[in-house]
Amino acid sequence: QAALGCRAAQVLMQYCILANHYWFLVEAVYLYKLLIGAVFSEKNYYRLYLYLGWGTPVVFVVPWMAAKYLKENADVTARLGLLSSACPCLCLPSQINLLIFMRILKVILAKLRANQKGYADYKLRLAKATLTLIPLFGIHEVVFIFATDEQTTGILRYVKVFFTLFLNSFQGFLVAVLYCFANKEVKSEMKKKWQLWKLDH
């Protein structure tokens, strides 16, 4: 029973890691759609985002789970092959996000340069936009995705683990602060709700 619970927890963990990466991709595609043009039609984009975010990891986790079950007691080379096959499904959304990230930065830079007279500090605005897009798109994942646990040793491994855990743990909080609580519309709505609550009490 303990072994079954451990295996279920491992499958769930792999699914959650993949879902995290593919939701980064959903956020990137959604922002790309808003800034540059329609990627999907308005009629069915929400369902496609759900399939991409929650469904795509299942496509990778189910074969991984079957292979893991069949090769669990096989030789080391089979297990190493299984580990290396997991890398492309993690690398793919990160690479697409990096491409979308660069494309969006190019658009932002073009818009800021066009309004250079209105925005004297356009370089500062570009830096701010870049820094706010990094946690939203999970660009930090690209830095560590190729530095696997087997390749990193000593202090480098501790640095990698610390930054990966820190950024992954606080990524949702950073996105909430930058895109929700720092948003003028959200702040005005919260202020209205607060004033209504004060009037009621």
Coordinates of all heavy atoms in Angstrom, one line a residue, residues 28-42 49 103-104 107 111:
A28 N 1.2 32.7 -22.1 CA 2.0 33.3 -23.2 C 1.1 33.4 -24.4 O 1.1 34.5 -25.1 CB 3.3 32.5 -23.5
V29 N 0.4 32.4 -24.8 CA -0.4 32.4 -26.0 C -1.5 33.4 -25.9 O -1.9 34.2 -26.8 CB -1.0 31.0 -26.3 CG1 -2.0 31.0 -27.4 CG2 0.2 30.0 -26.7
Y30 N -2.1 33.4 -24.7 CA -3.2 34.4 -24.4 C -2.8 35.8 -24.5 O -3.4 36.6 -25.1 CB -3.8 34.1 -23.0 CG -4.9 35.0 -22.6 CD1 -6.2 34.9 -23.3 CD2 -4.8 36.0 -21.7 CE1 -7.2 35.7 -23.0 CE2 -5.9 36.9 -21.4 CZ -7.1 36.7 -22.0 OH -8.1 37.6 -21.8
L31 N -1.6 36.1 -23.9 CA -1.1 37.5 -24.0 C -0.7 37.8 -25.5 O -0.9 39.0 -25.9 CB 0.1 37.7 -23.1 CG 0.6 39.1 -22.9 CD1 -0.5 40.0 -22.3 CD2 1.9 39.2 -22.1
Y32 N -0.1 36.9 -26.2 CA 0.2 37.1 -27.6 C -1.0 37.4 -28.4 O -1.0 38.3 -29.2 CB 0.9 35.8 -28.1 CG 1.4 35.9 -29.5 CD1 2.6 36.4 -29.8 CD2 0.6 35.5 -30.6 CE1 3.1 36.5 -31.1 CE2 1.1 35.5 -31.9 CZ 2.3 36.1 -32.1 OH 2.7 36.2 -33.4
K33 N -2.1 36.7 -28.1 CA -3.4 36.9 -28.8 C -3.9 38.3 -28.5 O -4.4 39.0 -29.4 CB -4.4 35.8 -28.3 CG -5.8 36.0 -28.9 CD -6.7 35.0 -28.2 CE -8.1 35.4 -28.5 NZ -8.6 36.6 -27.9
L34 N -3.8 38.8 -27.3 CA -4.3 40.1 -26.9 C -3.4 41.2 -27.6 O -4.0 42.2 -28.0 CB -4.2 40.3 -25.4 CG -5.2 39.5 -24.6 CD1 -5.0 39.8 -23.1 CD2 -6.7 39.9 -25.0
L35 N -2.1 41.0 -27.7 CA -1.2 42.1 -28.2 C -1.1 42.1 -29.7 O -1.0 43.1 -30.3 CB 0.2 41.9 -27.5 CG 0.3 42.3 -26.1 CD1 1.7 42.0 -25.6 CD2 0.0 43.8 -25.9
I36 N -1.0 40.9 -30.3 CA -0.6 40.8 -31.7 C -1.7 40.4 -32.6 O -1.8 40.9 -33.7 CB 0.6 39.9 -31.8 CG1 1.8 40.5 -31.2 CG2 0.9 39.6 -33.3 CD1 2.9 39.6 -30.9
G37 N -2.7 39.7 -32.2 CA -3.8 39.3 -33.1 C -4.3 38.0 -32.7 O -3.8 37.3 -31.8
A38 N -5.4 37.6 -33.3 CA -6.1 36.4 -32.9 C -5.3 35.2 -33.3 O -5.0 35.0 -34.5 CB -7.5 36.4 -33.6
V39 N -5.0 34.3 -32.3 CA -4.4 33.0 -32.6 C -5.5 32.0 -32.8 O -5.4 31.2 -33.7 CB -3.5 32.7 -31.4 CG1 -2.9 31.3 -31.6 CG2 -2.4 33.7 -31.3
F40 N -6.5 32.0 -31.9 CA -7.7 31.2 -32.0 C -8.9 32.1 -32.2 O -8.9 33.2 -31.8 CB -7.8 30.3 -30.8 CG -6.6 29.5 -30.5 CD1 -6.0 29.6 -29.3 CD2 -6.2 28.5 -31.4 CE1 -4.8 28.9 -29.0 CE2 -5.0 27.8 -31.1 CZ -4.4 27.9 -29.9
S41 N -10.0 31.5 -32.7 CA -11.2 32.2 -32.8 C -11.8 32.5 -31.4 O -11.6 31.7 -30.5 CB -12.2 31.5 -33.7 OG -12.6 30.3 -33.1
E42 N -12.5 33.6 -31.3 CA -13.1 33.9 -30.0 C -14.1 32.9 -29.5 O -14.4 32.8 -28.3 CB -13.8 35.3 -30.1 CG -12.9 36.5 -30.2 CD -12.2 36.7 -28.9 OE1 -12.7 36.5 -27.8 OE2 -11.0 37.1 -28.9
Y49 N -7.6 26.5 -24.4 CA -6.7 26.8 -23.4 C -6.8 25.8 -22.3 O -5.8 25.3 -21.7 CB -7.0 28.2 -22.8 CG -6.7 29.4 -23.7 CD1 -7.4 30.6 -23.5 CD2 -5.7 29.3 -24.7 CE1 -7.1 31.6 -24.3 CE2 -5.5 30.4 -25.5 CZ -6.2 31.5 -25.3 OH -5.9 32.6 -26.1
R103 N 9.1 37.8 -29.3 CA 8.2 38.4 -30.2 C 7.4 39.6 -29.5 O 7.3 40.7 -30.1 CB 7.2 37.4 -30.8 CG 6.1 37.9 -31.7 CD 6.7 38.2 -33.1 NE 5.6 38.5 -34.0 CZ 5.5 39.7 -34.6 NH1 6.4 40.6 -34.4 NH2 4.5 40.0 -35.4
I104 N 6.9 39.3 -28.3 CA 6.2 40.4 -27.6 C 7.1 41.5 -27.2 O 6.7 42.7 -27.3 CB 5.5 39.8 -26.3 CG1 4.3 38.9 -26.8 CG2 5.0 40.8 -25.4 CD1 3.6 38.1 -25.7
V107 N 7.5 43.7 -30.2 CA 6.3 44.6 -30.4 C 6.3 45.7 -29.4 O 6.0 46.9 -29.7 CB 5.0 43.7 -30.3 CG1 3.8 44.6 -30.2 CG2 4.9 42.8 -31.4
K111 N 6.5 49.7 -30.2 CA 5.5 50.7 -29.7 C 6.1 51.8 -28.9 O 5.7 53.0 -29.0 CB 4.4 50.0 -28.9 CG 3.5 49.2 -29.8 CD 2.4 48.5 -29.0 CE 1.4 47.7 -29.9 NZ 0.4 47.0 -29.2

